[in-house]
Every structure is written in C-alpha cells, then in structure tokens.
Amino acid sequence: MFDVETTRLAMAVLEACRARGATVATVESCTGGLVGGALTAIAGSSDVVLGGLITYSNDAKMALAAVPEALLAAHGAVSEPVARAMAEGGRPALSATFAVAVTGVAGPGGGSAAKPVGLVHFACAGPAGTVHRERRFGPLSRDEIRRLSVLIALDMLREAAPGT
C-alpha cells in the first residue's frame, strides 16, 4: 500500500522505539491518518503504536488534542504554535512516549499569500521537549504534499527515538 521509502522509514521508527521501549502516537490534520497508517501497515506495530488522532477540523484539534481555542484564533490551524500544541496534547491523550503532529495546506485549494498550498508544520513531542519543522513544498499535487509530509513526520519520530 505504501511505497518502499515510506515502509523502510516506518520500519526504522518501529525498530528504534522497540530498542528503547518507547511508544508513539500521531496527531494528523492534512495527512488524515497516513502517518499512523504507514506505521500500522507493518506487522507487529501494535507494541509501539498506541493510536492516532485525526484532527482535521479546529473543533477536533481542541477536543482530541487539547489545542487551546485562543491559539487557533491567534495563529490559525496551519502554524508552528498549533503544530506544537497538537503534539503536546496528543502525547498525554494517548499516554505515548512520542507524539508527532502534522498540519498544513495540501491543496489544491485553501491556500493564501500568508499560508500557500504546500505549507506544512510538523512537531514531535517527547520526554526531551518538542521539536518543530516547517516545509514549503510549493505547488505540488495534493498526493505528493501528503506523501512527503508522511516521510518528514516519520523521520522526526526516528530522530526522536534515540533521545529516550
């Protein structure tokens, strides 16, 4: 179902987490569960993956990941503060060692001058704190923006795992 690159990276995340007794949760907006899907496509992933939250709407971000309404109002859903809040809220919600969050504009519509199609914010929360990344993929297809976003989210989890 997933390409070879995604599957290899998902396997690396699972192996790194297993080696350290770490667990993972996902909090996804524009990827709609694809990060969790890539991880759970690997047989035996249930010892690492605790669950995933698909927080496509602002209401879901607030209800499921405890993102403050004021933060959404001040910065918008596609922003560094909201990505951080998603990861930081998803981690305790699922009692995970690490939670990765993705929020962005996958297109083809919905972009603006300030937040164009292809802008995606990522955050990974863990015991050592929260790390953020921003990517501006440009006017790629919706599928390609989402595929690349999954790879970045998985890479962030893989990098975080050695820090446990």
Side-chain angles (χ1 to χ4, degrees):
M1 173 174 270
F2 291 94
D3 63 43
V4 172
E5 185 179 13
T6 302
T7 300
R8 284 187 184 149
L9 195 47
M11 289 174 73
V13 169
L14 296 172
E15 289 169 13
C17 287
R18 278 189 193 107
R20 291 155 185 85
T23 56
V24 168
T26 65
V27 185
E28 303 180 61
S29 186
C30 67
T31 49
L34 291 172
V35 178
L39 290 165
T40 59
I42 311 298
S45 59
S46 62
D47 63 338
V48 172
V49 181
L50 298 181
L53 307 173
I54 299 174
T55 58
Y56 209 66
S57 71
N58 286 351
D59 287 342
K61 287 173 180 63
M62 291 184 292
L64 301 174
V67 175
E69 184 175 10
L71 202 63
L72 287 159
H75 301 281
V78 181
S79 65
E80 178 178 348
V82 169
R84 286 178 176 275
M86 288 167 64
E88 291 166 358
R91 187 173 172 238
L94 292 165
S95 300
T97 310
F98 299 103
V100 69
V102 185
T103 183
V105 185
S112 67
K115 296 182 182 184
V117 170
L119 172 63
V120 184
H121 286 273
F122 305 85
C124 186
T130 304
V131 176
H132 167 264
R133 288 188 192 166
E134 176 186 315
R135 292 293 182 270
R136 292 178 181 262
F137 296 114
L140 300 175
S141 71
R142 180 178 182 83
D143 286 347
E144 188 63 5
I145 290 167
R146 288 166 38 114
R147 184 186 79 78
L148 292 171
S149 294
V150 169
L151 292 173
I152 289 170
L154 290 172
D155 192 51
M156 289 179 79
L157 285 171
R158 183 189 54 77
E159 289 177 358
T164 58

